[in-house]
Amino acid sequence: MSDSYDLVVIGAGSGGVRAARIAATYGAKVAIIEEYRVGGTCVIRGCVPKKLFVYASRYKDLFEIAPSFGWDVGTPSFDWATLVANKDKEIARLEAAYVAGLEKPGAEIIRDRATVTGPNSVKLRSGRELTAKTILIATGAHPFIPDIPGKELAITSNEAFHLAQLPHSILIEGGGFISVEFATIFSGLGVHTTIVYRGDRLLRGFDEDLRVGLEAGLVARGVKIIHQTNVLGLRQTGKDITVSFSDGVDAPFGAVMFATGRSPNTAGLGLDAAGVELAWDGAVVVDPYSRSSVPSIYAVGDVTNRAQLTPVAIREGHAFADTVFGDKPTAVDHSLIGEAVFAEPEVGTVGLPEHEAATHGDIDVYVTRFRPMINTLSLKSDRMMMKLITRPGGGEVLGVHILGPGAAEIIQMAAIPLGMKATKADFDRAMAMHPTAAEELVTFKKPSYVYRGGQKQ
């Protein structure tokens, strides 16, 4: 077998797999190297198993309101081992589909670890050496673990999917996506859950109404939130882990999870020796076409730290293949990326949050809050929130923010008109679909409040 390729991809996650498959479709001779499992973080230990676990956690809410619809569900019980086993079956199915998708157009999958030894050369841990006209780095990122005493006692999102059993309680450190999603999962499955975050409110950078509403929803479901506090150390105390907090308090928990961000996987890849420029956090520095400082070496996905989201990695991988092998130079637009947080309540957002939009000139803000229809027959008082931010007088829609059931599904569709620079008048022309929650986005009559000259009125 020849060791010379048109493209060698290091990392078989979402971005690397898409790049390898499309490049092979264009006729390139492709090898993709993966030391673990094909599919990467999203498929194996990220968004796919996370969403399955979120579904499992939401049954608690459904059982609570079932009697209001006439259902007697008795005393529901949950079995963690069954969920984990069924999740593993689905992940295995998806991995097989990814492998088939690579092999069909002729890409070679190499199960090994790779080191870049030059602009056009890669060495495998097995000793095999490859040459390539182009090298693509798609190694993703890994959970950041704070350097504190006892850090080895904690888990991250990687290990959370493979716990032998659920802990009686858990402390999650962090205030982002991963923290609130796993808080939703663990609390919904009956674990006493606490979030500790160094900031004053979760989901920094999101629209303030989303942040406030999310925290209220988590607390209503029994999640305890400790703000402006750090974890200083961990120590084993019997079967529990005792946590020392920066406010001087020590407390025991059944488990501790770090959800404190993710760092690019570039250590040990040989990129610095090959002359590839790295950012302060280890990310590969690339141009709009994903090319690094070495012309023959590219990078896509989380390893570039442009936007650590699976669809972004896929788009970047496809654009890379189009550019290099399809004679269709394509730069990915990162300016309008919708985001979904699969917590409970669910968050969907695209465009500018209110605090940012107000710095771009005068704006009109439309906000509504209401009980989701699924709760109206029960005693649940959860509120859904929808917000539209526009330029004055029915002008361009700058942001859409949703909190509540189906937020992510709605925001995916809202991202389309925002990308087309739709106006409030365009939204108004859409006929409402009743009864839905999304109809609120096309039935706003007048602004809830406005900003003029940077001041809220």
Side-chain angles (χ1 to χ4, degrees), residues 210-231:
L210 293 178
R211 302 175 73 191
V212 171
L214 174 66
E215 286 204 2
L218 289 173
V219 170
R221 284 165 177 76
V223 177
K224 181 179 179 181
I225 303 175
I226 305 172
H227 296 105
Q228 298 180 320
T229 307
N230 293 323
V231 173

Side-chain angles (χ1 to χ4, degrees), residues 140-439:
H142 62 276
F144 171 78
I145 299 175
D147 188 14
I148 61 173
K151 62 184 180 182
E152 69 280 358
L153 299 174
I155 64 171
T156 69
S157 56
N158 286 355
E159 295 78 32
F161 294 115
H162 303 284
L163 294 174
Q165 60 187 23
L166 285 175
H168 64 84
S169 65
I170 189 167
L171 175 75
I172 304 175
E173 182 175 23
F177 285 69
I178 296 173
S179 173
V180 299
E181 290 176 338
F182 274 94
T184 292
I185 290 167
F186 283 117
S187 63
L189 298 181
V191 179
H192 294 289
T193 303
T194 302
I195 294 174
V196 59
Y197 177 50
R198 64 185 180 181
D200 60 359
R201 188 163 285 146
L202 303 175
L203 292 187
R204 180 171 59 89
F206 279 63
D207 187 88
E208 194 68 8
D209 281 325
L210 293 178
R211 302 175 73 191
V212 171
L214 174 66
E215 286 204 2
L218 289 173
V219 170
R221 284 165 177 76
V223 177
K224 181 179 179 181
I225 303 175
I226 305 172
H227 296 105
Q228 298 180 320
T229 307
N230 293 323
V231 173
L232 299 183
L234 310 174
R235 65 181 186 275
Q236 193 78 48
T237 310
K239 294 183 178 180
D240 284 342
I241 300 171
T242 295
V243 178
S244 296
F245 295 100
S246 58
D247 59 5
V249 174
D250 285 7
F253 295 89
V256 176
M257 177 177 172
F258 291 133
T260 45
R262 296 176 63 83
S263 301
N265 286 326
T266 52
L269 282 178
L271 296 177
D272 47 354
V276 175
E277 180 185 356
L278 301 179
W280 65 270
D281 57 358
V284 180
V285 177
V286 294
D287 68 11
Y289 296 92
S290 295
R291 175 177 274 177
S292 77
S293 57
V294 176
S296 58
I297 299 178
Y298 291 71
V300 298
D302 291 2
V303 76
T304 69
N305 210 13
R306 287 176 284 187
Q308 292 190 356
L309 295 167
T310 297
V312 175
I314 292 172
R315 182 70 62 87
E316 290 171 356
H318 201 130
F320 155 80
D322 284 344
T323 298
V324 178
F325 298 99
D327 197 26
K328 296 184 290 187
T330 305
V332 176
D333 181 4
H334 294 84
S335 65
L336 189 67
I337 300 174
E339 295 175 291
V341 183
F342 295 103
E344 193 59 51
E346 191 168 288
V347 171
T349 178
V350 64
L352 297 176
E354 184 178 319
H355 64 274
E356 285 189 26
T359 68
H360 288 246
D362 293 347
I363 59 171
D364 293 347
V365 181
Y366 303 79
V367 183
T368 183
R369 293 177 176 86
F370 55 94
R371 288 178 72 193
M373 191 172 183
I374 193 172
N375 292 337
T376 56
L377 300 184
S378 72
L379 298 178
K380 288 182 72 69
S381 58
D382 300 25
R383 309 291 285 180
M384 192 163 187
M385 189 279 295
M386 293 196 174
K387 176 185 284 189
L388 210 59
I389 302 171
T390 76
R391 296 198 185 279
E396 181 184 350
V397 178
L398 302 175
V400 180
H401 310 285
I402 303 173
L403 180 81
E409 301 291 345
I410 300 170
I411 217 69
Q412 175 66 85
M413 291 297 99
I416 298 173
L418 259 70
M420 300 171 67
K421 298 188 180 300
T423 66
K424 174 65 167 60
D426 292 324
F427 272 57
D428 291 343
R429 277 197 297 273
M431 188 69 71
M433 297 182 67
H434 184 74
T436 67
E439 68 181 295

Side-chain angles (χ1 to χ4, degrees), residues 90-114:
E90 175 61 9
I91 299 310
R93 184 191 70 81
L94 289 173
E95 182 181 14
Y98 269 60
V99 169
L102 287 167
E103 291 178 340
K104 184 176 181 180
E108 178 186 351
I109 302 171
I110 301 174
R111 308 279 184 160
D112 210 328
R113 179 173 176 82

